[in-house]
Structure formats: C-alpha cells, structure tokens
Amino acid sequence: MSTFQFVNVARPDDVKRHSTQIRRHVMKDIGKARRKPRPKKHKQVILGERDPEGGDDDEDEPEDVDRVVPRLNPMPDGDLSMMSFPIEMDESRMSLVRFMVEEARITYRPFRFPWLSMGLSDAASWYITLANAALYRANPGKQKTEFTYCPEAMKWYTKSLGSVTKRLENPAASDTEGLVIAVTGFVCHDCSIGNFDRFRVHMDGLKRIVENRGGLEALSNPFLRLMISWLDMSGATFMNAKPRFNVPEGSIREVDNPSGFPFLEQLLVSWDAEYSSLGDITSAMRATAAVAGYINRRAEDSEFWTDDVTAARLLGPAFYKILSLEGRALPEDPEDPQYSGTAAREAFRRAALVLLAAIKVRMGAGAHDMERHLDAFRQISQLPLVSWGAVPELSLWAHIVSAMQEDSPSRAWHVLTIVGIMESMGLQTGAQALDVARGIIWVDAIDDGKSAVLCREIDGYIVARAPLQLDDGSLGSQLDVLSADLEPGPDEVSSGAANLVY
C-alpha cells in the first residue's frame, strides 16, 4: 500500500534539493507494482568448473531483466553511489567496480562501458562482469586468461553459470533478454581469450535463445544486437565459416564516397570478363574497399580509433560479405581454365580477411584469426602451376597485404612471388609494386612502416638474384639467397571449459 511522505519546501530553490528524495519515493511504488513474481526454484545443475571458495550468498538475488540503468561514468565526476546494481554490493564488490572505472581512465578496452550498461541490468551478467574485473585486477598489464587462474574471478563466474543454468531449466525464464545478455558475456570472454571450442558451444546456445525470442532484431537493446553480431563475426572469421546471424540494423552499409579506389573497379570488371563464374567475390572486395576508404578519411581523428561501436557497425557488413562467400573446390587439372581463377579468388578472400584483422588490431580489438588466415594464404600462394599473372594487379595486392603482416623470415615465398608478378607487369622496383597495391585497397593507418621494410626486401632480392640469373637460376638457389637477405638486422628488430547445455 502506498504511503504519503511530506517534504518542507520553503523557497523555490528547495524543490531542486528535494527532487531526488521525491523521485525515489515515487519510483519505489512503481517498481513494486511492475515487479514480476519470481519463478519457482528448480534443481540447479552446473557443468564444468566449481566455485573454489564455496558458498552462494547471492542465491536469492532477483533476476531483474527489464531494468533501465545509467551507464557507468569513467570520468572523475562519476558518482558510483548513485548507481543501481542488480545484486547487493558490499565494500569488496564495490572495490571491483572502482577498479573498472579507474582502469578505464588509463586503459582502453573495446566495448567496456557499453557492456557495463547491459551488465547492470541482470544479476547473472553482473556476476560475469565482476569476474572479468577480478581477473584484470589480479593480472594487471598481462594477457587475459581463463577464470580458473584467479579464485575471486572463478567465484563470480561460477555464480553466473549457476544463475544461467537455473533459468535454462525453467521454460518461463529461458528466453529473457537478461539471459541473452549473460550468455553473451560468456561468449565475449571465450572470444577474448581465444577459446573457440567453448565459444562454439555458447554461441550455438545463444543463437537458440535469440531465435526463441523472435530473432536478433526482436531484442530491445540495440547495442546488444550489435555486440552479438560482432562476436558472431569474430568467431566466424576464426573458423572461416558463415556467420550465424545477419548484419543487424544500424550497421554502416552505405559508405560516403565509396569509390575511393577507382582502379579497383576497373580490375574487378576485368576479373568478371576473365572468370565470370567467380564474380561473386567482387561485392566482397568492394565492401572491403569501402571500409578502407571510410577509415582513411577519418584516420587522423584520434577518437575514431576508440569508437568501438562505430568500428563494429563499419566492419560487420564487410566481414559478413567475405565470410558468406560459397567455398569452391580447386580443379584437379591445372590446365582447367578455372584453376588459377579459383586459387586467386581464395587468395583475394584471405587477403581481405587479413586486412580487416589488421584493422581490428589497430582498433585495440585483437584478432585471434590473423595467423590462421596468414597460414592459409601461404598454402594458397605455394600451389603449383597457378598463373598469378591472370589478374596480376589483384594478385600483387593480395601478396603484399599478406606479406606486410608476416615476419621477415616467414615471407620469403611471398617476396619471390611478388617479384615474379612484378616481372609480368614490367615493374622494376618495390616502390612501383607498393604504388599498385595502394591504388587497389589500402589503409595507411595499419602500415606503421611495414611497407617500407617490405619494399627494401623486394629491392634487395632483385639485386641479389641478378648474378643467379646468369649462373644458376634454380628455385632453391633463389630461396636461399632470399632467406639470407631477409634476416633482420639489429636496426630492424624493433622497426578450462565450462559448457552449458542449451
């Protein structure tokens, strides 16, 4: 039953002073009226890790899935005492919150504060948030690890698993948005540490929950939709698979001034004419070029590189187009007209993924998939009897983009192939080759001096192999000279599974 509470307002200025008290009193009754009865308890089943410290003093915390909460403020004027939390917060727990806010002032982590606004809406998602805070506090400045390496983090992780498991067993609570947020937290942790076996289990479960709610666009929180899509893309790039979800609304699909690389458009037209059956990759290449052009026009703005939401909105459509391409088997006969075209198509696709991975690294998001794409490109580049001269400009671009992300000793074959393509095009220097690549798809901000080093290696190999062309021009001899030439000089050295049953 509502009760009256009187306040004394003697002057107009007193209204502002008493406004907080009035608002809290009014919202208290509204909150009680809206609160839904908690479902009956069901038997709790937790698979995987156990809480090393035991106890569950928050077992009866409410699962408030429709709470509207403010975002934590990392600035000095942020008042944590005014925050509304989904669980009881004692001094030990508040110390983790203060750590998150203090660390945010000096260390940028993508999606930190957009995630916190969601984590505050649900007890299970808040537990996983506290687990991450404890893990970062226990290992300052170190690479993120499994929760098992930190007892405090493990405690909160286990609480989150328990909360989610109970709701999965209850049909009435198995498709709430709060549950979606909590499972997204598990997926995010798996992705950040590179545990993609467990990622696959949690993401498959998340997809089923989201589909039961009507799909990604049926979720009320726009950032939650974007976060799920971003994590889905991250996993798909690592697994080289088609994403589970479509690109959400609000993504940057149409880029201003998309024709920033007119030379690319000319090349794609010639690609269609030469290999018409493989023309499906052209839209993916255009999407990648649009991303590059968008970034190049904003690269000087330091705030752009910490705008995590824009990064996800921008990169998502390009990743989706590339990863949705149908796989093509390489013809067994090298004389088949599609043999070189199929190899080149996959080389272009992998090079585009390497480029986007490098952009993710530049934006601070990390890229566990980078090495997998580089390794795949090495294998493609060494396929026998591939005529890279069929579309020489695009082939040159793909090899240069991939070579720039390799360490010098690992890209001997790339340099050898680059020089061979250069000869077919009549190019004589590394600078000329780099100019061609820059005219196709290029992001200056991820160069960081790498192109200059590669250019020197190309020119060094051209000079070193000249005597061999007059004497012994065997491939083995050329690779020996190239490997020796690519040894870095002293000045260049610096240039545990917890699975839920969904």
Side-chain angles (χ1 to χ4, degrees):
M1 178 178 179
S2 300
T3 59
F4 292 101
Q5 181 173 338
F6 296 92
V7 295
N8 183 27
V9 180
R11 299 188 307 276
D13 291 344
D14 289 344
V15 174
K16 183 177 181 181
R17 182 163 57 87
H18 289 292
S19 62
T20 300
Q21 180 182 358
I22 296 170
R23 185 166 58 253
R24 286 179 176 173
H25 180 72
V26 173
M27 294 305 296
K28 178 178 67 175
D29 290 334
I30 294 176
K32 288 181 179 179
R34 292 182 58 195
R35 191 167 297 143
K36 300 176 182 179
R38 297 190 67 207
K40 294 181 180 180
K41 292 186 177 181
H42 292 257
K43 181 180 178 181
Q44 178 175 327
V45 179
I46 302 177
L47 304 179
E49 297 107 324
R50 297 171 60 92
D51 182 353
E53 296 187 359
D56 194 357
D57 53 350
D58 290 313
E59 186 176 355
D60 295 323
E61 295 287 357
E63 303 294 351
D64 227 351
V65 299
D66 295 319
R67 301 169 72 246
V68 178
V69 297
R71 289 177 62 171
L72 285 176
N73 186 355
M75 304 310 294
D77 59 351
D79 187 358
L80 297 180
S81 64
M82 299 298 293
M83 298 301 302
S84 175
F85 297 95
I87 66 173
E88 291 296 327
M89 297 293 289
D90 57 20
E91 176 56 30
S92 174
R93 300 171 183 185
M94 285 302 300
S95 70
L96 288 173
V97 179
R98 286 192 290 271
F99 166 78
M100 284 189 282
V101 174
E102 290 293 333
E103 190 202 31
R105 296 172 184 166
I106 57 176
T107 304
Y108 168 70
R109 298 190 194 283
F111 310 112
R112 183 204 302 258
F113 282 96
W115 164 258
L116 287 177
S117 68
M118 295 192 303
L120 284 165
S121 67
D122 178 82
S125 56
W126 187 240
Y127 290 144
I128 194 71
T129 303
L130 293 178
N132 278 285
L135 191 61
Y136 282 123
R137 186 170 68 175
N139 300 283
K142 296 181 180 179
Q143 187 175 0
K144 191 177 180 184
T145 63
E146 290 282 8
F147 290 124
T148 50
Y149 292 95
C150 174
E152 185 181 14
M154 191 64 203
K155 178 184 71 173
W156 295 116
Y157 182 44
T158 304
K159 288 181 183 295
S160 185
L161 285 170
S163 175
V164 169
T165 302
K166 286 191 289 186
R167 278 186 276 178
L168 287 173
E169 294 177 336
N170 179 4
S174 62
D175 63 351
T176 63
E177 192 149 314
L179 180 62
V180 173
I181 294 172
V183 178
T184 301
F186 297 156
V187 174
C188 184
H189 174 71
D190 296 338
C191 184
S192 65
I193 63 173
N195 188 335
F196 286 97
D197 288 334
R198 191 171 62 203
F199 172 98
R200 185 181 290 106
V201 175
H202 287 153
M203 182 57 84
D204 286 344
L206 179 61
K207 188 176 191 303
R208 284 192 288 273
I209 297 172
V210 170
E211 287 179 343
N212 288 340
R213 286 184 56 85
L216 196 63
E217 297 301 335
L219 299 176
S220 64
N221 189 315
F223 177 74
L224 177 58
R225 297 195 296 266
L226 186 65
M227 188 74 175
I228 292 173
S229 174
W230 175 257
L231 293 169
D232 181 31
M233 298 290 182
S234 297
T237 56
F238 182 86
M239 301 169 193
N240 190 34
K242 183 176 180 178
R244 294 168 174 81
F245 297 97
N246 292 326
V247 177
E249 292 183 6
S251 298
I252 303 176
R253 301 169 188 266
E254 299 297 330
V255 176
D256 54 310
N257 189 25
S259 59
F261 300 94
F263 186 41
L264 171 66
E265 195 63 32
Q266 300 174 23
L267 296 174
L268 292 179
V269 171
S270 66
W271 168 263
D272 282 341
E274 187 74 21
Y275 301 100
S276 57
S277 62
L278 304 177
D280 60 338
I281 196 174
T282 58
S283 63
M285 298 292 287
R286 290 187 179 104
T288 305
V291 169
Y294 185 99
I295 293 174
N296 287 335
R297 291 189 292 275
R298 294 161 177 80
E300 298 302 320
D301 181 3
S302 59
E303 293 184 358
F304 171 76
W305 297 103
T306 56
D307 188 349
D308 41 26
V309 173
T310 296
R313 293 174 57 225
L314 175 66
L315 297 178
F319 270 125
Y320 187 86
K321 281 185 175 295
I322 297 170
L323 294 168
S324 297
L325 290 171
E326 178 187 352
R328 300 287 176 84
L330 185 71
E332 296 182 2
D333 182 7
E335 298 298 325
D336 188 308
Q338 298 300 327
Y339 179 84
S340 293
T342 302
R345 174 182 182 272
E346 181 63 12
F348 302 159
R349 194 180 72 86
R350 292 287 185 169
L353 290 171
V354 167
L355 181 75
L356 294 179
I359 294 172
K360 286 176 59 179
V361 172
R362 175 65 177 82
M363 289 181 159
H368 294 284
D369 55 302
M370 173 74 85
E371 183 53 43
R372 295 171 72 91
H373 297 313
L374 289 174
D375 181 64
F377 188 90
R378 288 186 216 112
Q379 297 181 46
I380 297 166
S381 179
Q382 296 179 40
L383 285 172
L385 303 177
V386 172
S387 176
W388 297 110
V391 189
E393 295 88 355
L394 286 174
S395 298
L396 183 65
W397 169 82
H399 280 83
I400 287 176
V401 165
S402 297
M404 283 177 58
Q405 302 304 323
E406 295 271 20
D407 294 329
S408 291
S410 301
R411 61 187 181 200
W413 187 275
H414 293 71
V415 175
L416 183 67
T417 306
I418 288 171
V419 172
I421 298 172
M422 288 171 57
E423 290 179 340
S424 71
M425 298 173 62
L427 304 179
Q428 299 179 347
T429 66
Q432 292 174 337
L434 267 293
D435 285 343
V436 171
R438 288 189 178 95
I440 298 176
I441 304 176
W442 196 264
V443 178
D444 291 320
I446 64 172
D447 188 326
D448 197 26
K450 295 176 181 178
S451 63
V453 176
L454 178 61
C455 186
R456 289 197 299 270
E457 292 176 3
I458 293 171
D459 290 339
Y461 170 63
I462 291 175
V463 172
R465 75 164 191 163
L468 292 176
Q469 292 180 319
L470 299 176
D471 186 15
D472 178 13
S474 66
L475 177 61
S477 299
Q478 294 183 49
L479 285 174
D480 289 341
V481 170
L482 182 56
S483 299
D485 187 60
L486 295 184
E487 289 297 326
D491 296 333
E492 295 182 358
V493 173
S494 61
S495 186
N499 293 330
L500 299 173
V501 178
Y502 294 95

